[in-house]
Every structure is written in C-alpha cells, then in structure tokens.
Amino acid sequence: MTRMTAFNSPFLLGFDHFERALDRITKASTESYPPYNIVQTGANSLRITLAVAGFGPEALEVLVEGNQLQIRGRQSEETERVFVHRGIATRQFQRSFMLAEGMKVSAAALGNGLLHVDLERPEPETRIQRVAITTAS
C-alpha cells in the first residue's frame, strides 16, 4: 500500500525535500531521550542543553549537515565489570534539530552531565546595489 502525502499533487513538483524534512520532524518528535531544553540567550542566539549524564566528550558527536544539527551519543559496553544491579542504561542516542536558514553552531561544551550547544544567527549584511539606467536610442 502506498502512502499518500500532502505533496502528492502534480502541481507540487520538486517539493520532495520538504516531505523528507517533515518526515524527520515527525520522527524526531517521538524521541524522548535524552531530554533537552532550548533557551534564547540573546536577540540572535539560542542554546540547546541536553542531559547526557554518563557520556564523556569522546562518546559525543555534534555534526551539522546542511541545515540539520545532529547530536549523537555512543557508549562502549564494559565487559570487564560484573554488575550486581544495572540501573544506569548505556544506550546510544541521536537527536536531530532542523536549523533555520543562516543559523550557525558557535560552540559546544560539556559540563556537569549537560551538553550545551550554542547557536547564532549573524546579522544579515545590508547590500545596496545601484543599477545603471541606460536609454534606448
């Protein structure tokens, strides 16, 4: 059975990237680990904070691919220890955020079990272009 989409009209050619973006957003909204906050830190800046207790900097990865921010965590399994009780999960995660046009990742810092990713949107340059007017002879 084929899936019907909002972009299935013959008048909406070339909008498949929007459909893929909507699919990613829908998938991302069902994820719940790790929990995160997004705080506006300035007029053109944001901070995403993820609770990543137990992950060191070597187990975390922050990537920007196109306009998508991906944060991944991968812990290695410890085989030399014998656990009597294991209540702290060592699971992997991948959290994705769609970035608005022009948003840049300025920094990422890990401290006290929290990963802080700072985002900035630079002020757009005001460009004035003078166009010469020619006369028809």
Side-chain angles (χ1 to χ4, degrees), residues 2 7-9 12 17-18 37 43 46 55 66 77 85 88 92 100 103 115 120 122:
T2 59
F7 298 101
N8 202 21
S9 170
L12 297 174
H17 61 284
F18 286 119
N37 291 335
L46 298 170
F55 288 87
E77 289 290 323
H85 172 74
I88 301 172
Q92 302 178 48
M103 290 294 281
L115 175 65
E120 291 181 352

Side-chain angles (χ1 to χ4, degrees), residues 9 20 23 42 44 47-48 52 61 73 75 85 89 91 101 111 115 123 131 136:
S9 170
R20 287 192 302 272
D23 285 343
N44 293 320
R47 173 175 271 187
I48 300 173
V52 292
E61 186 175 45
Q75 290 181 330
H85 172 74
R91 61 182 176 180
E101 194 68 35
L115 175 65
E123 286 289 328
V131 178

Side-chain angles (χ1 to χ4, degrees), residues 66-67 97-104 120-121:
N67 63 341
F97 300 92
M98 294 295 290
L99 300 178
E101 194 68 35
M103 290 294 281
K104 305 278 184 214
E120 291 181 352
R121 180 190 306 234

Side-chain angles (χ1 to χ4, degrees), residues 24-90:
R24 283 195 302 263
I25 291 168
T26 304
K27 180 181 175 251
S29 67
T30 60
E31 299 172 356
S32 63
Y33 181 79
Y36 65 94
N37 291 335
I38 301 176
V39 177
Q40 186 167 1
T41 57
N44 293 320
S45 58
L46 298 170
R47 173 175 271 187
I48 300 173
T49 302
L50 288 92
V52 292
F55 288 87
E58 69 283 345
L60 294 168
E61 186 175 45
V62 178
L63 301 169
V64 178
E65 184 179 332
N67 63 341
Q68 187 172 15
L69 169 66
Q70 293 183 358
I71 302 170
R72 297 180 184 145
R74 184 168 286 146
Q75 290 181 330
S76 60
E77 289 290 323
E78 297 181 31
T79 56
E80 58 272 357
R81 291 194 214 179
V82 176
F83 288 91
V84 176
H85 172 74
R86 187 166 194 160
I88 301 172
T90 57

Side-chain angles (χ1 to χ4, degrees), residues 8 15 35 45 73 84 93 103 126-128:
N8 202 21
F15 286 91
S45 58
V84 176
F93 72 86
M103 290 294 281
T126 304
R127 289 184 42 181
I128 299 174

